Amino acid sequence: MIDASLAIDGAVAGPAAAPASARRRFRWDLLLLIAPLLLVTAVVFDVPLLNTAYWAVSDAKSGALTTRHFQEFLESNAYMRIIWRTLFVSLEVTLVTILLGYPLAYWTTKLRPRLRMIVLALVVMTFWVSILVRTYAWIVILGNAGLVNRSLHWLGITSKPVEFLYNELGIVIGMTNVLLPFLVLPLYAAMLRVDQRLLQVAETLGASRLRIFWQVFFPLTVPTLAASSILVFILSLGFYITPAVLGGGKVPLIANMMDLLINRFARWEIAAVVSVVLMAITLTLYAVYQRLREKYQ
Amino acid sequence: MTNVRFSSVSKSYGPVQAIGEVSLSVASGEFTTILGPSGSGKTTMLSLIAGIAQPTSGRIELGDREITYVPAAQRNIGLVFQSYALFPHMSIFDNVAFPLRIRKLSAAEVRDRVTDALRLVRLEGFEQRRPHQLSGGQQQRVALARAIVFKPDILLLDEPLAALDRKLREEVRSEIRALQRSLGITTIMVTHDQEEALSLSDHVVLLSGGRVEQIGTPSEIYHRPATRFAAGFLGLANLIDGTLQDGGIVQTSDGERIPGAASDRTPGSTVCAMIRPEDIRTHPDQGFLQGNVRDVVFLGEIRRYTVELDSGRMINANGSGGGAMREGERVALSWDPASVWLLPECAAEQGGH
Ligand SMILES: Nc1ncnc2c1ncn2[C@@H]1O[C@H](COP(=O)(O)OP(=O)(O)OP(=O)(O)O)[C@@H](O)[C@H]1O
Ligand SMILES: [Mg+2]
């Protein structure tokens, strides 16, 4: 559930905040107004974060600063491997989400208004169903005796069940399903905002439909596509339920490793180190993205 | 030679008829303006010529080729939207080069022609900027450069000056005119500004409610309007209904006698006479009609008087030079009878103006 609530915050803040170029004068009175909120945020979110960072570099008993945990983290390459694995799976999920989500959003804008509402409702509806329920639903659909495998068998396409679940494929399918709305909704809005007259003018200048799409329409949606892809990527780094259920414990990702470290082995310090590393990677990616955005806008 | 021809073209958006049964032809190399109030179908006409909308019925020709359903991309027509519609993600250079690259010109040729086009609109040195870094007038000129750089057969301009302030508008206006003359390109411009239409064009197409009200030279439409709407839309007009008497005199129901030009219409018929305010002379006591000055508006070069005749009818008259009259003063109005125009159609007005 943490996944979902975090995600919704992100969806509101991410794409909406991206295009605003905030180069205004600093207003102390405004700072005063949001001070209580900042304070709550600091105490509730940032202090625990700092605390985690502190655990990563301190001795649990004496409290003295140490690099011991980081050394352990580096010596065992299991941790780094899982981090790479998570990054890779997140990248896959992001790519699949883009490949499915962009055409879906584009197609939706071409529908008649009433149909649009229905399609959007179907997309948004996944927000209303608990992640857990949705994830288990995939087992019904993709399991060895599931809907898809039975249909394939009945059609004579396969002789033995296809392994959709308990591997990376299952995880990617499940996560893509959860994350699709975060890409489709902002993209849909951005596509509707594209000035139709630009496309018409391009046509009068002699451009073919393909050229209009790739040289005018697509570039105008790229900023939103980039912002929502980054959002999807960052969200998928922290997925817990979906990999746990659909990966069947065979494909451990960072969140599942944390669960093991904390609940099974009570290795809070190592968990803290992994968190810090993960956060550093995320922030770096985000910084790179911001750089690129500024450079190309 | 005819360049654009409409044969009873209609266009409906669902139940809304944007234009109905429009027929007209525009000669090659001419500057034509489409003039009309908001919602009269001006943009629709341009869209039909450009091919970004298809007519519901009728036929459109370009030169000797029918283009009614030819895709916009194959028409070779330059279009400038009121909102400029520059590609925001491209530099000025790339914007202007866009139609040339589609036509697969060599890089050197693209560079030369973009440079030429930008020089023509006096925007050298702006190549690397983005549209949002230019002023409205500059963006307008980039849009113009982009529309002419590929040597289109026709240039279409949709209210190109509407977003500019008065001074800039006059500047860009004369630039457009000079450009059109030097390129000799058939140009159709949409406007709802009558002054713009009168000052720029060889021909004016006056639209109202999706129908052609009148087509003619600016002077024809101004001095010889076909309908009440035409008379009222271009400038201020005094319209007086009455019956025609011998010697071109129009007798109103209030008993006023309006001396007018000799007419070949049968005496006794109902007519509608138009006199422009600038054709009316004011004098303290000598004239055809007497009245009191009700209002004086100072407009710089002239004063505009609103005179209430003894019958209660209001007449607008212009006065210039010294000897201004004041409100409430007695005044007599006179004019050259030849300047009175009898509208060919006297039907009561259908649309408002
Ligand atoms: N896409 C559309 N869908 C429905 N109705 C439309 C559409 N485009 C134009 N119309 C209608 O057609 C009529 C003519 O519109 P048009 O845009 O040609 O007017 P216009 O003369 O250009 O007006 P303006 O001076 O305000 O630009 C209007 O009544 C308008 O409401
Ligand atoms: Mg218009």
Side-chain angles (χ1 to χ4, degrees), chain B residues 13 16-18 36-45 82 158-159 192:
Chain B
Y13 293 102
V16 184
Q17 190 175 54
S38 190
S40 57
K42 307 183 296 292
T43 300
T44 306
M45 295 255 305
Q82 179 176 346
D158 192 355
E159 309 212 20
H192 60 242

Side-chain angles (χ1 to χ4, degrees), chain B residues 171-225:
Chain B
E171 221 176 284
V172 181
R173 182 197 290 172
S174 47
E175 259 169 47
I176 289 180
R177 189 58 169 136
L179 202 66
Q180 193 266 338
R181 287 237 171 84
S182 67
L183 299 176
I185 184 174
T186 311
T187 303
I188 302 178
M189 183 178 90
V190 157
T191 179
H192 60 242
D193 180 335
Q194 42 125 344
E195 193 190 324
E196 217 165 276
L198 295 179
S199 63
L200 276 176
S201 34
D202 298 317
H203 280 101
V204 176
V205 175
L206 185 61
L207 282 188
S208 154
R211 285 169 196 279
V212 174
E213 202 76 17
Q214 189 171 1
I215 301 178
T217 64
S219 144
E220 267 166 16
I221 295 193
Y222 187 77
H223 294 294
R224 304 277 175 262

Side-chain angles (χ1 to χ4, degrees), chain A residues 247-260:
Chain A
K250 286 191 221 155
V251 191
L253 298 187
I254 290 179
N256 313 85
M257 174 171 72
M258 300 269 213
D259 178 44
L260 282 183

Side-chain angles (χ1 to χ4, degrees), chain A residues 139-150 161-166:
Chain A
I139 294 181
V140 178
I141 296 172
L142 295 177
N144 281 358
L147 220 58
V148 174
N149 266 322
R150 260 187 295 168
V162 181
E163 300 264 338
F164 288 113
L165 295 180
Y166 315 123

Side-chain angles (χ1 to χ4, degrees), chain A residues 282-297:
Chain A
T282 312
L283 287 178
T284 310
L285 284 175
Y286 190 68
V288 168
Y289 160 70
Q290 284 294 347
R291 254 296 161 71
L292 291 178
R293 201 171 66 88
E294 270 162 32
K295 198 165 160 193
Y296 291 105
Q297 254 181 9

Side-chain angles (χ1 to χ4, degrees), chain B residues 63-111:
Chain B
D64 45 16
R65 176 165 84 113
E66 177 177 356
I67 56 159
T68 318
Y69 301 105
V70 172
Q74 289 158 28
R75 293 195 184 189
N76 205 38
I77 288 175
L79 172 65
V80 177
F81 271 116
Q82 179 176 346
S83 59
Y84 319 145
L86 297 180
F87 304 125
H89 58 290
M90 296 183 195
S91 68
I92 299 308
F93 184 93
D94 289 339
N95 261 283
V96 181
F98 187 82
L100 300 178
R101 292 192 174 131
I102 292 169
R103 287 163 178 77
K104 305 227 162 20
L105 268 59
S106 70
E109 204 170 343
V110 167
R111 190 160 8 85

Side-chain angles (χ1 to χ4, degrees), chain B residues 5 23 42 70 81 90 101 103 108 122 127 150 156 161 166-167 189 191 199 214 228 231 253 256 286 316 328 346:
Chain B
R5 187 200 298 278
S23 297
K42 307 183 296 292
V70 172
F81 271 116
M90 296 183 195
R101 292 192 174 131
R103 287 163 178 77
R122 299 192 295 131
E127 286 83 354
F150 60 100
L156 304 177
L161 310 173
R166 195 182 164 78
K167 191 167 173 301
M189 183 178 90
T191 179
S199 63
Q214 189 171 1
R228 284 167 187 271
S253 53
E256 291 149 338
Q286 285 167 16
N316 286 303
C346 213

